[in-house]
Amino acid sequence: SEAQAVGAADAALGSVLDSLRRKGWYDDALVMVTSAHGGSPDSGGDPGRGYTLEDPVRRVPFVVKMPGEPEARQVVTPLQHIDIAPT
């Protein structure tokens, strides 16, 4: 199910972050996390069904942990995957 996939991705990312902390690399690390697409409320848990150009599908997570940044910031400017490399 979609919820299980999100849980598995969350656990995998947590494992990577925990490893960075154990090795003392977390504070100096640049971590970027994104997704291929957002979720569709009409998909019924089927990732191949119900995708449109509606807002929930176009809204894709793009989370960046910058080296030395003590707190999170939210950027409201719309971005695209093509923006990742220049970032």
Side-chain angles (χ1 to χ4, degrees):
S1 79
E2 190 172 334
Q4 289 172 322
V6 170
D10 185 57
L13 178 59
S15 178
V16 169
L17 297 177
D18 288 344
S19 180
L20 288 172
R21 287 184 185 101
R22 276 193 312 275
K23 294 179 181 195
W25 298 344
Y26 182 81
D27 291 339
D28 295 327
L30 167 64
V31 179
M32 298 175 130
V33 179
T34 190
S35 173
H37 53 75
S40 172
D42 299 329
S43 71
D46 179 356
R49 196 177 123 240
Y51 288 108
T52 68
L53 292 178
E54 298 297 320
D55 205 41
V57 176
R58 291 184 305 116
R59 289 187 169 271
V60 175
F62 179 34
V63 180
V64 179
K65 184 235 138 326
M66 297 292 291
E69 287 287 326
E71 294 185 25
R73 291 181 289 146
Q74 181 175 8
V75 177
V76 295
T77 305
L79 302 169
Q80 298 178 24
H81 279 125
I82 198 166
D83 295 315
I84 293 172
T87 299

